[in-house]
Amino acid sequence: MRLRDGESEVVIYERGAYLYSWSIRGRDVVLRGNIDMPTRGGMAILIPYANRVRGAEYVFNGVKYTLPVKWWPPREDNAIHGLVLDKDFVVKESTISSVLLNYVLRHSGYPTVLDISVKYELSGNSLTTRFMIQNIGSSDAPLTVGAHPYFLVSGDWDIKAGGESYQCEAVDKIPTGRLIRRELTRGDWDDCFIVDDPIQLKSSYSSITITRVNMRYLQVYTGVPGAVAVEPMSGAPDAYHNGMGLVVIRPGEVKEFSFTVNVTKAPA
């Protein structure tokens, strides 16, 4: 599905509610995606956990649950990036500049049933992504949500956030629960931060600003040449164990999260 507004165009796939591309005047803002490896480009949706769950298992309300391990190379013994990457969402509403997609998640590794809605709204050089998650099952459940966009940059890129920033101390990419006061700036990252808005990613290629609602955590990943993944999340990796940002969603309850990316300098 293509969304258009002004000089912006976004391509969304129903599989995974996946943002495949975003361009302005024909120049890409986001690294074009790969539907078979969705967290290596584009913007994948991460629900009901964002990034890793240590050992691909967890205990919630006294019950042990097992999750799928990472399913593309390099494989590892952790679960990663949620349960909806390869699921087919249904388009519920659409206009020329917006789309609402829906999927009902049932999984043996998760305590309840979630009704998941993802809405994309394009307005000129701004794109807002909204998540509306309802527990339609009969049990409480743990929840974190996130998105995994790769923004194209040139070699002179830098990143900063408003106010103070804290890095989540991690061992083998799993946060320990301890925070370290550290400025978010250019570096070699595969790390989670707690930061204030606005988040600014700038280079001579383009500049963006991100603002968030109920998504205080931010994963930054620099492992793909020519792009930086700046990932808004409601909780830290392994929140099912460390509790950082973890939400418990109760039967009938609805949780909402959102973020907006504003392109302040269009790709040159």
Side-chain angles (χ1 to χ4, degrees):
M1 169 168 286
R2 294 182 186 273
L3 308 182
R4 295 184 179 90
D5 192 77
E7 298 176 314
S8 284
E9 181 178 273
V10 169
V11 175
I12 306 293
Y13 288 176
E14 283 105 351
R15 182 180 175 185
Y18 182 53
L19 187 149
Y20 171 77
S21 66
W22 179 13
S23 61
I24 297 175
R25 297 195 300 269
R27 300 294 300 273
D28 287 327
V29 175
V30 168
L31 177 66
R32 289 192 174 236
N34 180 341
I35 194 65
D36 296 317
M37 296 183 68
T39 59
R40 302 296 287 180
M43 185 176 82
I45 300 302
L46 316 179
I47 299 172
Y49 49 89
N51 290 294
R52 289 168 173 82
V53 176
R54 175 171 44 87
E57 62 184 25
Y58 64 100
V59 175
F60 184 76
N61 285 348
V63 178
K64 183 177 178 179
Y65 296 92
T66 300
L67 297 165
V69 298
K70 185 180 177 187
W71 48 277
W72 60 77
R75 288 182 60 87
E76 55 185 78
D77 292 330
N78 302 307
I80 192 167
H81 297 326
L83 297 171
V84 301
L85 293 180
D86 59 345
K87 301 302 187 290
D88 291 326
F89 282 66
V90 174
V91 174
K92 291 293 189 179
E93 301 173 6
S94 65
T95 70
I96 193 170
S97 60
S98 69
V99 62
L100 176 66
L101 302 108
N102 179 262
Y103 178 74
V104 175
L105 174 66
R106 296 177 174 87
H107 194 277
S108 60
Y110 195 68
T112 194
V113 181
L114 296 181
D115 185 272
I116 299 169
S117 292
V118 180
K119 187 172 187 179
Y120 292 101
E121 299 170 288
L122 184 62
S123 178
N125 288 4
S126 293
L127 178 66
T128 298
T129 306
R130 304 185 190 277
F131 305 96
M132 294 146 283
I133 316 293
Q134 183 175 17
N135 184 347
I136 60 173
S138 58
S139 301
D140 294 352
L143 177 66
T144 58
V145 306
H148 201 300
Y150 281 90
F151 298 102
L152 289 169
V153 294
S154 48
D156 57 350
W157 70 273
D158 199 5
I159 188 170
K160 66 178 182 179
E164 294 186 340
S165 61
Y166 295 86
Q167 183 184 358
C168 300
E169 179 190 67
V171 175
D172 295 330
K173 302 181 182 180
I174 302 293
T176 64
R178 179 172 175 260
L179 296 176
I180 303 166
R181 175 75 177 91
R182 180 161 294 166
E183 181 181 3
L184 177 59
T185 187
R186 178 176 173 168
D188 293 325
W189 299 116
D190 187 4
D191 294 275
C192 182
F193 294 83
I194 296 177
V195 297
D196 294 326
D197 289 341
I199 300 151
Q200 296 177 308
L201 177 66
K202 296 182 177 182
S203 77
S204 56
Y205 177 76
S206 68
S207 298
I208 65 158
T209 298
I210 300 175
T211 54
R212 305 154 297 159
V213 176
N214 296 330
M215 302 184 81
R216 190 183 179 202
Y217 291 78
L218 191 76
Q219 186 83 8
V220 181
Y221 176 62
T222 57
V224 174
V228 179
V230 184
E231 309 168 37
M233 305 185 302
S234 65
D238 204 36
Y240 283 15
H241 290 114
N242 59 44
M244 300 176 73
L246 187 70
V247 169
V248 174
I249 186 166
R250 307 190 186 285
E253 193 170 21
V254 178
K255 297 291 185 181
E256 298 188 10
F257 314 84
S258 67
F259 67 96
T260 297
V261 178
N262 182 36
V263 180
T264 56
K265 176 188 172 186

